[in-house]
């Protein structure tokens, strides 16, 4: 059975015309040295001559992340391996939605790659409001600007989280820590909801701090493992202090530790909340 074409205009409940039967997505690519990547739309496309993000309609069967990456390559020649996705936010009109995928550039170069783009340019975030922006991008920019260049770092108190569930961890602490690490790797790939904003999802950098009999556990893609030689709490505080500019979330039930990391600007969540997210994967 063939899918209906995604390349149509949809009138949303607000009365506006939007492109994409299945919604649309765009990539907000951030480079700390160069700024954000903007695209000036060709004169003949919808909202032509305005500045916005590389993006377009989501195809049938695509995820928003896949669509944003595909459009960035098709319109600005940015390959998926040249950036790391850190978050996404959704503007939902009920019968149509737009997903903005925020990513950190890792050596990405950009150039006009098809006729829908008139120009691509790296722009200082502070200068973005001075450009003639696409209507919807202009409305979204204030919220997006607050997350430009930010990432979520999830620091996990391994001993505390492992010990929160009586599954025999005391007989094999190394194996229990490895099981937690592997679940965290799945979480890094799936993403986590923002605790304060249901429209935002983060793909965190995860740091698992281990100690004692678990200190020889090694990292895997998506999860960095840091071993504490003696005091696990002090190692967690040290890890938190080394994440300037990031949004930091520490998973622990230790009241004293929570106070120490919150004093450094981190937020905390309990092991039960984290376990609930892991069990849902």
């Amino acid at each position: 059975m063939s899918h209906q074409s995604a390349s149509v205009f949809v009138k949303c409940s607000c009365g506006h015309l939007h492109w994409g039967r299945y919604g649309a997505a765009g990539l907000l690519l951030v480079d700390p040295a160069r700024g954000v990547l903007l695209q000036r739309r060709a004169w003949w496309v919808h909202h032509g001559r305005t500045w916005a993000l590389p993006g377009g309609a989501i195809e049938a069967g695509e995820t928003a992340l896949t669509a944003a990456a595909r459009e960035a390559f098709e319109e600005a020649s940015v390959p998926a391996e040249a950036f790391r996705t850190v978050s996404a936010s959704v503007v939902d009109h009920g019968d149509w939605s737009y997903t903005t995928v925020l990513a950190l550039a890792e050596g990405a170069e950009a150039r006009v790659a098809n006729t829908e783009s008139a120009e691509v340019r790296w722009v200082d975030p502070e200068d973005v409001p001075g450009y003639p922006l696409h209507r919807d991008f202009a409305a979204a920019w204030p919220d997006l600007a607050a997350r430009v260049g930010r990432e979520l770092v999830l620091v996990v108190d391994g001993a505390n989280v492992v010990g929160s569930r009586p599954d025999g961890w005391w007989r094999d602490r190394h194996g229990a820590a490895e099981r937690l690490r592997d679940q965290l790797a799945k979480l890094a790939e799936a993403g986590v909801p923002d605790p304060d904003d249901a429209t935002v999802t983060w793909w965190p950098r995860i740091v698992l701090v281990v100690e004692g009999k678990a200190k020889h556990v090694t990292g895997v893609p998506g999860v960095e493992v840091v071993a504490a030689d003696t005091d696990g709490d002090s190692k967690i505080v040290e890890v938190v202090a080394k994440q300037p500019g990031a949004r930091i979330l520490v998973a622990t039930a230790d009241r004293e530790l929570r106070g120490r990391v919150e004093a450094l600007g981190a937020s905390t969540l309990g092991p039960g909340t984290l376990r609930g997210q892991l069990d849902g994967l």
Side-chain angles (χ1 to χ4, degrees), residues 142-160:
D143 288 334
L144 294 172
R147 288 189 290 118
V148 162
R150 297 199 76 188
E151 60 179 335
L152 177 67
V153 180
L154 174 60
V155 182
V156 180
D157 181 351
N160 193 271

Side-chain angles (χ1 to χ4, degrees), residues 96-170:
W96 185 88
S97 64
Y98 188 94
T99 301
T100 303
V101 177
L102 276 80
L104 293 175
E106 298 183 344
E109 298 297 333
R111 61 176 177 80
V112 172
N114 68 12
T115 58
E116 296 178 21
S117 301
E119 182 181 354
V120 292
R121 182 186 300 179
W122 295 97
V123 177
D124 187 309
E126 294 186 0
D127 296 336
V128 169
Y131 280 66
L133 302 178
H134 183 287
R135 174 197 65 205
D136 296 334
F137 180 54
W141 175 249
D143 288 334
L144 294 172
R147 288 189 290 118
V148 162
R150 297 199 76 188
E151 60 179 335
L152 177 67
V153 180
L154 174 60
V155 182
V156 180
D157 181 351
N160 193 271
V161 173
V162 165
S164 68
R165 178 174 292 176
D167 61 354
W169 59 266
W170 56 88

Side-chain angles (χ1 to χ4, degrees), residues 147-199:
R147 288 189 290 118
V148 162
R150 297 199 76 188
E151 60 179 335
L152 177 67
V153 180
L154 174 60
V155 182
V156 180
D157 181 351
N160 193 271
V161 173
V162 165
S164 68
R165 178 174 292 176
D167 61 354
W169 59 266
W170 56 88
R171 291 191 297 269
D172 182 9
R173 299 192 182 196
H174 182 96
E178 286 187 327
R179 291 193 296 273
L180 175 60
R181 176 203 62 191
D182 294 344
Q183 284 186 298
L184 290 169
K186 294 179 181 178
L187 188 68
E189 185 175 350
V192 299
D194 189 299
D196 303 317
D197 187 343
T199 69

Side-chain angles (χ1 to χ4, degrees), residues 182-253:
D182 294 344
Q183 284 186 298
L184 290 169
K186 294 179 181 178
L187 188 68
E189 185 175 350
V192 299
D194 189 299
D196 303 317
D197 187 343
T199 69
V200 177
T201 300
W202 295 86
W203 283 267
R205 279 199 299 113
I206 298 180
V207 181
L208 173 61
V209 178
V210 294
E211 56 185 295
K213 294 181 179 179
K215 70 179 184 179
H216 297 298
V217 171
T218 57
V220 295
V223 182
E224 177 187 358
V225 177
V226 175
D229 291 330
T230 53
D231 181 4
D233 288 5
S234 294
K235 177 60 71 172
I236 290 168
V237 172
E238 178 186 321
V239 169
V240 169
K242 290 181 178 179
Q243 313 295 332
R247 180 172 182 179
I248 306 169
L249 193 57
V250 179
T252 185

